[in-house]
Amino acid sequence: SYSKLLDEPPPEALRRAVLAGNAAIHERGEMNRDFTRMGTTCTTLALTSEGAVMAHVGDSRAYRVRGNVIEQLTFDHSLQWELLRQGRIPAEEIFRNEPRNVITRSLGPGAQVEVDVEGPYKIEPFDTYVLCSDGLSGLVSDPEMGAIVRTLPPGDACRMLVNLANLRGGPDNITVLVVRVGEIPDGVGGQSSWDQPVFESRDGSTQFGWPWLLAWFVVGLMFVAGLGLVFTERPVAGNILMALANLGCGGLILFWLRQRRLTTARELYPELTPGTPYRTATAELTPGFVNELASLATALQRTALDDGWSIDWPQFESAYSAGKTHLASKQFVDAFRSYAKALQVLMEGVHQVRRQRDHVLKWGARAAPDE
């Protein structure tokens, strides 16, 4: 539908395309009693010369990864987020007590649906967008998602995200799409002609840069100067200066703790400010995450050996050994990529076992296919 509406501004074209999808699903449900009130979520993305635009219904999500920051650009149409928008209950209480998987809006059950349109957001070279269902976002955290997308090519990132969600239980359908922007011409992706502002990202980093370092330098200098005065027979002035340095140190620590709490809150709870991403988190690859991947590969390898899965063992051993070598050398990016390859080899064995099992369940024990 969107391709038939290119004469419209992209936000309106996306909105109308989603409405057309809703009408088609609803009509199908009305025609067959078995499909009555069937529904689905929908998140769409258009990268245009004016910016990135999303149309959205439900609790599937669109993220953007830029640099070391991952940002959620869509609003979850869920009970938790709607209660948060009402502002009557503290966020901590909502996310602790209310069910996560109750959605308030979807395509199909009703003849009409309200479609959220987000953006336009400025596009920069090498921005990466992730569209996913809650089957992924419910099992893989935003920082983990960002780290995977930053570290792997888009296709490998998709496979790794799905593999990780499945290895953590994967009770729901898992759908993910990763899109990476290449080089873009000057003036493209940031000039809106639709009478709408082009939104900028919000800095999700906890790093304070040179002002933070300068503050610590001044505090340290005051302490050293005070200590010097104490030893040069000016103890009163020295003690005063050292006391001020201690107060400054305490203030900086309190400020850092406050900023850390704010950063944690941005990762856990949405910020409902118009024109800004709803949640922001760092997307750094951590040693702990790499070690978790190594443990998953080891555990799955043991299961494959015990159960006699058909695995391309030379390919697995090559990737797994490389991962161990890189991890021992603290080359975490290379280690992560190697373990991701090893897990993909093992997961192909998992899928083959499932296909064989499904074949047996459907056709009996007759010659289950190898593929």
Side-chain angles (χ1 to χ4, degrees):
S1 295
Y2 177 75
S3 61
K4 299 177 182 178
L5 300 167
L6 296 182
D7 291 338
E8 300 276 354
E12 179 61 18
L14 273 183
R15 189 186 72 84
R16 289 179 58 186
V18 173
L19 288 174
N22 179 75
I25 296 170
H26 180 72
E27 181 181 358
R28 180 67 181 273
E30 292 293 298
M31 292 171 58
N32 189 325
R33 183 180 301 176
D34 293 336
F35 297 151
T36 300
R37 294 195 60 78
M38 69 176 178
T40 185
T41 62
C42 177
T43 299
T44 63
L45 168 70
L47 300 178
T48 75
S49 59
E50 285 88 355
V53 185
M54 287 134 283
H56 169 66
V57 175
D59 62 350
S60 293
R61 294 176 175 177
Y63 292 91
R64 178 179 61 193
V65 180
R66 175 180 292 170
N68 68 338
V69 175
I70 180 170
E71 301 163 311
Q72 183 178 341
L73 304 181
T74 51
F75 182 93
D76 285 5
H77 298 136
S78 67
L79 177 61
Q80 287 184 342
W81 281 49
E82 295 293 355
L83 288 173
L84 186 69
R85 177 149 57 184
Q86 293 174 10
R88 300 174 184 173
I89 306 174
E92 295 86 348
E93 187 175 335
I94 292 172
F95 283 82
R96 182 175 61 249
N97 298 329
E98 301 298 336
R100 180 184 182 278
N101 59 346
V102 176
I103 61 174
T104 58
R105 207 184 298 180
S106 62
L107 296 188
Q112 301 295 327
V113 68
E114 182 181 356
V115 180
D116 283 1
V117 177
E118 304 281 359
Y121 282 95
K122 184 178 180 180
I123 301 173
E124 293 187 1
F126 311 114
D127 282 350
T128 304
Y129 293 85
V130 181
L131 277 63
C132 66
S133 65
D134 68 326
L136 178 70
S137 59
L139 292 168
V140 180
S141 70
D142 292 1
E144 291 172 337
M145 199 181 303
I148 290 171
V149 167
R150 287 187 67 209
T151 306
L152 301 175
D156 293 342
C158 283
R159 285 184 283 271
M160 184 65 241
L161 288 166
V162 173
N163 287 341
L164 184 58
N166 277 321
L167 288 169
R168 289 176 173 174
D172 200 354
N173 293 328
I174 303 166
T175 304
V176 59
L177 175 68
V178 177
V179 179
R180 181 163 296 156
V181 178
E183 297 283 357
I184 55 178
D186 293 339
V188 173
Q191 300 294 324
S192 174
S193 60
W194 315 318
D195 298 323
Q196 299 181 41
V198 177
F199 300 137
E200 297 287 352
S201 64
R202 183 175 63 221
D203 184 12
S205 174
T206 56
Q207 304 300 318
F208 302 106
W210 67 265
W212 179 249
L213 296 176
L214 180 62
W216 277 109
F217 176 77
V218 171
V219 167
L221 191 63
M222 289 173 61
F223 186 86
V224 171
L227 194 62
L229 289 173
V230 169
F231 285 104
T232 56
E233 299 183 354
R234 298 179 62 185
V236 175
N239 286 327
I240 291 174
L241 202 56
M242 290 171 65
L244 290 174
N246 287 330
L247 286 173
C249 180
L252 288 173
I253 291 173
L254 289 174
F255 179 75
W256 177 79
L257 290 172
R258 177 179 178 275
Q259 291 301 112
R260 187 176 180 183
R261 283 196 298 271
L262 289 174
T263 300
T264 301
R266 283 200 298 265
E267 293 181 5
L268 295 176
Y269 310 125
E271 182 173 320
L272 307 184
T273 303
T276 64
Y278 292 101
R279 294 196 310 165
T280 302
T282 55
E284 297 285 356
L285 183 64
T286 64
F289 190 27
V290 179
N291 278 295
E292 180 187 353
L293 225 62
S295 298
L296 286 172
T298 301
L300 197 59
Q301 175 196 27
R302 190 177 301 116
T303 301
L305 289 169
D306 291 344
D307 293 351
W309 295 353
S310 178
I311 300 292
D312 186 341
W313 289 113
Q315 186 179 2
F316 168 80
E317 289 295 343
S318 175
Y320 185 72
S321 298
K324 291 175 66 176
T325 301
H326 292 313
L327 187 58
S329 303
K330 297 186 178 180
Q331 297 173 332
F332 297 114
V333 170
D334 291 332
F336 185 88
R337 290 170 177 163
S338 296
Y339 283 125
K341 290 179 182 177
L343 278 171
Q344 177 59 29
V345 174
L346 293 174
M347 290 303 292
E348 288 171 0
V350 172
H351 298 321
Q352 182 173 328
V353 169
R354 287 178 176 174
R355 286 193 296 268
Q356 291 173 339
R357 180 197 61 194
D358 293 342
H359 181 90
V360 170
L361 289 174
K362 184 175 182 179
W363 302 104
R366 294 177 296 163
D370 291 334
E371 297 184 356

